[in-house]
Amino acid sequence: MLKRGQFHYHCSHLLILFITLICLILVPISLEAAQKKKGKNKTPALNLPPLKTQEQKMQLLGYIRQTMPTHRIGRRISFSSDDLDKALELELGQNTQRFAKQIDDETFVRRVYLDLTGNLPTPETIKTFISSRSSNKRSNLIDELLETEAYARKWARYWTSVIFYDSEANKNRISPKALEDWLAEQFNKGAPWDYITVMLISATPKRNKKVRNDYGQKYGPNNFVLACENKSTELASQTARIFMGISIKCAECHDHPFDNWKREQFHELAAFFHPYTYKMPDKDDPTVKTVVKPRFLLGEKPYEKMKSDARRVSIAAYLAYNPKNYWFARAYVNRIWSELIGDGFYDVDSLGPDSDVIHKPVVNRIAANFRYKDFDPKWLFRLIMNSKVYQREMQTISSQSELFTSVRPSRLRPDVVAASVKKLVGEDKKLHKEIMQVFDMNPSLPQGALEGSIQQALMMMNHTTLQSKLSQSELKKQLMKLSDQELVDALYLNVLARHATTEEVERNLSYLKESQSRAEAVDDLIWVLVNSTEFRTKR
């Protein structure tokens, strides 16, 4: 039992504890109320000097990134090609009965060379690969090609084409070559996709008035902005299209007719890229304008009084690192998947809140792991190309239920066709330019929407320079030294990167035997293969 003095002592302590507890609860509430009253709950101002170097941009990016919740657990999770196949099989259900057969080594080596390097493998490479007994030879070849400059250059050309294909910029003020060279350098040294995106979006090219048509295009990253003519609305549209897979351009003038994008959202996105105060023109009277502050599609706002270059870094941070924004990672995954498999999980430029995504759990899982792997492009290539879905035979896809049960036959892009021709006839800049123009295609269209043209067929059949160079090529000289049997095999290995079938051997041997001129017969055989559909498609 407490004595009287002890009782008062304990009561005093209890009273002090009670008062302290009340203070701990009320003081933060009072401070918060005071801040709200003074307007201090707004996003604070961040006074920054102009961002002149890559290091300064990355420092700001890191600062903004730390303010957002993130899940960087890449080293603690595992998602393999086998996991991908199992996830897809679960989604496809009964359609797994339609799975195409796995391709043989000869088909694999041609496919992986074309996809990663844009070049055909040499006959020696094909023979060596087929004869190898290593159980890991396919994954080893993928790893080997991912470390080549040809891989970096091939995919640099692809993304340069994506950025410039619809550009209406003055050709004297842009440099696709500078952008391609810079991208190739980044891919070659293994730069992650988020870094590449930051450098492209945050570029702030300056005009050199002392030099005619010098808009900073010699510096590669500037060319994304220059391709958009440094227009805020075009930058908003292309940023959403390329880096999020979202088509919101029509929301510039009115609410999106098919998705939930609002006109105000488009202009809030455009405000990130405007050097000064951005004003949205009235829908009915463009002369009437309303001030719009920058806000990302998911609601994020930059620090107040940020300059234009810093705002562009901030939008890159919102793109890549906000856990709620699954579009950034998924857009890259979907583009690469579409290029390798022939079909995407959705059209690469049409995703929106209400758009359909095929097998969403699978693409979401790949995208999440791409984020966890720090947006490493090579990790994604390895994941897809080591899977069964990539290594299936090609078949015509006639319905949505057949997607990913096989690989869709795909037309080779113009640079790959040009490289295949160059391998046969040698360097010819004029011929290369013509092929690039005639075989030009929109890199953002799905393969199912691409069609060959009469102009392409006529060029390959009737181009006098091409015919002349094929007839005088080193390939023909080598073929003429071989026996008929050896000639046919070498012909197919050099032109189509595969051995001739038994039927093809018999047919070609018969033609050689019946021809009065062996030289002319060889010209004809080369011409036939170069004009075949197989020469211009991925097998």
Side-chain angles (χ1 to χ4, degrees):
M1 182 179 293
L2 292 173
K3 295 181 180 180
R4 186 172 183 180
Q6 291 175 323
F7 176 81
H8 284 293
Y9 176 82
H10 281 279
C11 285
S12 299
H13 270 268
L14 287 172
L15 182 60
I16 292 171
L17 286 172
F18 178 76
I19 294 171
T20 302
L21 182 61
I22 293 298
C23 289
L24 288 172
I25 295 172
L26 293 180
V27 168
I29 295 175
S30 300
L31 287 173
E32 184 179 351
Q35 287 177 343
K36 287 183 178 180
K37 187 175 182 180
K38 295 179 181 180
K40 291 184 179 180
N41 63 319
K42 296 180 180 179
T43 306
L46 187 65
N47 296 319
L48 294 167
L51 304 179
K52 296 181 179 180
T53 66
Q54 294 183 13
E55 290 73 19
Q56 289 174 330
K57 289 180 180 179
M58 298 311 293
Q59 286 175 359
L60 176 59
L61 182 75
Y63 177 83
I64 299 173
R65 186 176 186 177
Q66 290 176 2
T67 67
M68 293 184 290
T70 186
H71 306 287
R72 298 179 61 77
I73 56 175
R75 295 180 181 178
R76 289 185 284 150
I77 67 168
S78 174
F79 186 69
S80 66
S81 300
D82 288 339
D83 295 327
L84 168 59
D85 286 321
K86 291 175 183 176
L88 195 56
E89 288 172 10
L90 186 64
E91 276 291 304
L92 289 169
Q94 293 182 347
N95 288 326
T96 56
Q97 298 174 2
R98 304 180 185 178
F99 277 164
K101 296 179 181 178
Q102 295 289 288
I103 55 177
D104 57 27
D105 286 342
E106 189 174 67
T107 304
F108 176 83
V109 68
R110 181 182 190 267
R111 183 182 295 183
V112 77
Y113 257 85
L114 287 174
D115 279 337
L116 285 182
T117 71
N119 299 315
L120 289 170
T122 64
E124 293 74 21
T125 298
I126 297 169
K127 293 175 183 177
T128 301
F129 186 79
I130 293 174
S131 63
S132 172
R133 296 185 178 182
S134 170
S135 59
N136 298 321
K137 64 181 181 181
R138 294 194 178 190
S139 60
N140 289 341
L141 179 59
I142 293 168
D143 290 342
E144 177 186 328
L145 294 180
L146 283 171
E147 299 306 318
T148 62
E149 291 187 10
Y151 151 76
R153 181 62 61 176
K154 195 262 187 185
W155 286 95
R157 286 195 300 266
Y158 169 77
W159 285 105
T160 300
S161 179
V162 169
I163 289 170
F164 276 107
Y165 187 80
D166 288 323
S167 174
E168 298 179 356
N170 186 324
K171 295 188 183 301
N172 293 320
R173 300 176 181 179
I174 57 176
S175 177
K177 182 64 167 59
L179 175 60
E180 181 187 315
D181 288 344
W182 182 82
L183 286 171
E185 179 186 356
Q186 304 313 306
F187 290 135
N188 199 37
K189 64 184 182 183
W193 184 241
D194 58 328
Y195 171 80
I196 293 172
T197 301
V198 170
M199 298 310 297
L200 294 176
I201 292 177
S202 65
T204 50
K206 306 294 183 183
R207 181 184 179 185
N208 181 2
K209 295 182 179 180
K210 295 181 180 179
V211 181
R212 185 181 180 185
N213 287 326
D214 184 354
Y215 287 77
Q217 63 266 41
K218 291 182 180 179
Y219 177 57
N222 283 346
N223 282 278
F224 169 67
V225 175
L226 294 173
C228 300
E229 301 178 275
N230 212 355
K231 295 179 179 178
S232 302
T233 52
E234 187 66 12
L235 281 164
S237 174
Q238 293 302 315
T239 295
R241 181 183 75 87
I242 295 172
F243 302 108
M244 298 178 72
I246 296 173
S247 178
I248 62 170
K249 187 173 180 61
C250 62
E252 179 180 354
C253 302
H254 50 76
D255 291 346
H256 200 294
F258 309 119
D259 276 312
N260 285 333
W261 303 121
K262 303 300 181 184
R263 183 168 180 265
E264 188 173 355
Q265 285 180 289
F266 176 90
H267 289 281
E268 288 172 340
L269 188 63
F272 274 96
F273 299 100
H274 200 274
Y276 309 110
T277 301
Y278 183 84
K279 296 180 180 180
M280 177 179 70
D282 185 78
K283 183 168 58 175
D284 300 318
D285 184 1
T287 61
V288 178
K289 298 183 179 182
T290 305
V291 173
V292 173
K293 292 187 176 182
R295 187 171 71 165
F296 191 57
L297 297 175
L298 292 173
E300 297 91 340
K301 299 178 182 179
Y303 289 87
E304 290 189 7
K305 297 182 180 180
M306 260 190 173
K307 297 184 183 299
S308 176
D309 53 0
R311 288 201 303 271
R312 294 185 184 195
V313 173
S314 68
I315 193 175
Y318 302 147
L319 267 175
Y321 306 126
N322 186 340
K324 295 180 181 179
N325 178 20
Y326 52 83
W327 289 310
F328 176 71
R330 198 161 76 175
Y332 184 85
V333 166
N334 189 58
R335 270 193 180 270
I336 301 303
W337 180 278
S338 182
E339 284 296 301
L340 298 180
I341 306 300
D343 291 288
F345 293 95
Y346 54 89
D347 289 346
V348 296
D349 289 345
S350 65
L351 184 65
D354 296 330
S355 296
D356 291 331
V357 178
I358 302 167
H359 306 311
K360 184 183 290 187
V362 179
V363 66
N364 283 354
R365 194 171 174 188
I366 300 172
N369 281 273
F370 179 53
R371 177 197 289 268
Y372 297 153
K373 297 300 180 183
D374 291 327
F375 305 102
D376 178 8
K378 293 181 181 180
W379 174 86
L380 183 61
F381 279 106
R382 289 188 180 98
L383 177 78
I384 298 173
M385 301 180 88
N386 280 302
S387 69
K388 291 179 181 178
V389 64
Y390 175 78
Q391 297 182 25
R392 291 196 180 105
E393 291 181 347
M394 288 192 170
Q395 293 180 357
T396 302
I397 306 295
S398 57
S399 67
Q400 183 172 306
S401 63
E402 295 176 352
L403 290 175
F404 313 146
T405 58
S406 64
V407 175
R408 181 187 290 274
S410 302
R411 294 184 177 277
L412 297 179
R413 301 213 173 272
D415 58 307
V416 181
V417 176
S420 297
V421 171
K422 179 182 176 181
K423 177 175 179 267
L424 300 177
V425 304
E427 182 75 43
D428 188 309
K429 293 183 179 180
K430 184 178 179 181
L431 179 60
H432 176 88
K433 184 177 180 180
E434 288 185 58
I435 293 173
M436 292 294 290
Q437 291 175 341
V438 173
F439 284 86
D440 189 28
M441 63 176 70
N442 186 340
S444 297
L445 281 179
Q447 280 288 341
L450 295 174
E451 296 181 354
S453 68
I454 295 176
Q455 186 182 10
Q456 292 171 358
L458 290 176
M459 177 186 178
M460 298 301 288
M461 287 191 293
N462 302 323
H463 200 287
T464 54
T465 301
L466 177 58
Q467 291 180 358
S468 174
K469 284 186 170 291
L470 286 171
S471 183
Q472 300 172 26
S473 65
E474 286 298 318
L475 172 62
K476 181 186 175 182
K477 293 176 183 178
Q478 293 298 321
L479 294 176
M480 292 296 293
K481 298 176 183 179
L482 304 175
S483 67
D484 286 358
Q485 182 77 40
E486 293 171 331
L487 184 153
V488 173
D489 196 46
L491 172 65
Y492 275 76
L493 282 170
N494 278 278
V495 180
L496 300 182
R498 66 171 174 84
H499 291 282
T501 64
T502 302
E503 182 182 347
E504 289 168 337
V505 170
E506 292 176 354
R507 185 169 62 247
N508 282 275
L509 288 177
S510 176
Y511 185 77
L512 286 167
K513 185 177 180 180
E514 295 173 1
S515 298
Q516 295 181 350
S517 170
R518 192 170 190 263
E520 290 181 3
V522 172
D523 284 339
D524 292 343
L525 294 180
I526 296 174
W527 182 87
V528 167
L529 294 192
V530 169
N531 280 278
S532 66
T533 301
E534 187 176 349
F535 184 75
R536 302 191 295 273
T537 57
K538 185 171 69 172
R539 189 174 68 245

